[in-house]
Amino acid sequence: MPIPYEATGRTQQKTRTREALVDATRALLAEGSTPQVEDAAERAGVSRTTAYRYFPNQRSLLLAAHPQISPDTLLPPDAPADPTARLDAFMAAFSRYNFEWEPQLRTSLRLALEQSGAQPALRQGRAIGWIEDALEPVRRSHPTVDVRHLAVAIRSATGIESLIWLVDIAGQTRAQAAETVRRTAHALLDAALRGT
């Protein structure tokens, strides 16, 4: 297995160069473009030849620009114990996260839908874990509820894909879209708690 370019030689300088390329890509995505490697190189003040040593193609560059944060939870330390209030707090944080990283998430979705190449790493399952954490009190209060199954259902109806559809197709504002996915999450929770 070949050693990555940035893992040899002057590694600190190479780390800074790679970070500059990723930061430039994120800035370009936030401006609404889908940058090529050359675009990121120009924005970062790095030669094209050097940029291609780090990212051999647009796909690898765009995947590197995907959000890298991965906390165990999106809930604050003083999150409520009540399942409904806890889910409400989570959904507010989840919508903020999705809108904050929207350009990168849209790009990752586009890459996932392309026919060529391997499927990109969309950090699959992280959001489901966050939702399971938000639903933790349900495990005790309603032991017959399959919390994992419920978390998957909530994720399928409230993630970036739903928000994009609500904004781009349904014409909702971002605030309206966040409220729609919040209500959807609550409807799924209520149905699970009622056993329907």
Side-chain angles (χ1 to χ4, degrees), residues 137-157:
V138 174
R139 292 186 195 280
R140 293 182 297 281
S141 65
H142 294 76
T144 59
V145 171
D146 183 337
V147 170
R148 174 74 177 183
H149 180 76
L150 177 57
V152 169
I154 290 172
R155 168 59 186 89
S156 73

Side-chain angles (χ1 to χ4, degrees), residues 92-113:
F94 190 42
S95 291
R96 277 193 308 273
Y97 169 86
N98 283 318
F99 286 133
E100 176 183 350
W101 291 98
E102 183 179 353
Q104 291 89 345
L105 294 171
R106 280 179 179 266
T107 299
S108 291
L109 276 174
R110 185 179 56 75
L111 291 172
L113 295 172

Side-chain angles (χ1 to χ4, degrees), residues 7-189:
T8 63
R10 299 178 344 182
T11 57
Q12 290 182 346
Q13 173 61 40
K14 289 179 178 181
T15 297
R16 286 191 298 271
T17 301
R18 185 180 195 285
E19 288 172 2
L21 289 164
V22 170
D23 289 344
T25 303
R26 288 180 176 158
L28 289 164
L29 286 166
E31 292 169 8
S33 68
T34 305
Q36 299 288 335
V37 176
E38 324 56 84
D39 302 322
E42 182 179 340
R43 174 66 68 96
V46 173
S47 76
R48 289 181 182 194
T49 303
T50 298
Y52 277 107
R53 288 183 182 134
Y54 293 87
F55 302 105
N57 54 49
Q58 180 191 39
R59 183 182 194 85
S60 63
L61 176 69
L62 295 175
L63 287 175
H66 191 278
Q68 298 296 314
I69 64 167
S70 55
D72 294 332
T73 182
L74 291 185
L75 292 171
D78 62 346
D82 173 69
T84 301
R86 193 173 169 93
L87 182 61
D88 210 35
F90 167 77
M91 286 306 304
F94 190 42
S95 291
R96 277 193 308 273
Y97 169 86
N98 283 318
F99 286 133
E100 176 183 350
W101 291 98
E102 183 179 353
Q104 291 89 345
L105 294 171
R106 280 179 179 266
T107 299
S108 291
L109 276 174
R110 185 179 56 75
L111 291 172
L113 295 172
E114 285 180 354
Q115 297 298 320
S116 62
Q119 179 137 345
L122 289 174
R123 315 303 187 249
Q124 296 169 350
R126 178 176 57 185
I128 293 167
W130 290 341
I131 297 168
E132 283 186 279
D133 172 64
L135 298 173
E136 190 58 36
V138 174
R139 292 186 195 280
R140 293 182 297 281
S141 65
H142 294 76
T144 59
V145 171
D146 183 337
V147 170
R148 174 74 177 183
H149 180 76
L150 177 57
V152 169
I154 290 172
R155 168 59 186 89
S156 73
T158 64
I160 188 66
E161 307 85 355
S162 299
L163 290 169
I164 289 172
W165 187 89
L166 289 166
V167 171
D168 291 2
I169 308 301
Q172 292 189 347
T173 65
R174 281 168 172 69
Q176 291 169 329
E179 177 62 12
T180 298
V181 295
R182 185 191 73 79
R183 287 176 182 243
T184 300
H186 280 292
L188 290 165
L189 175 61

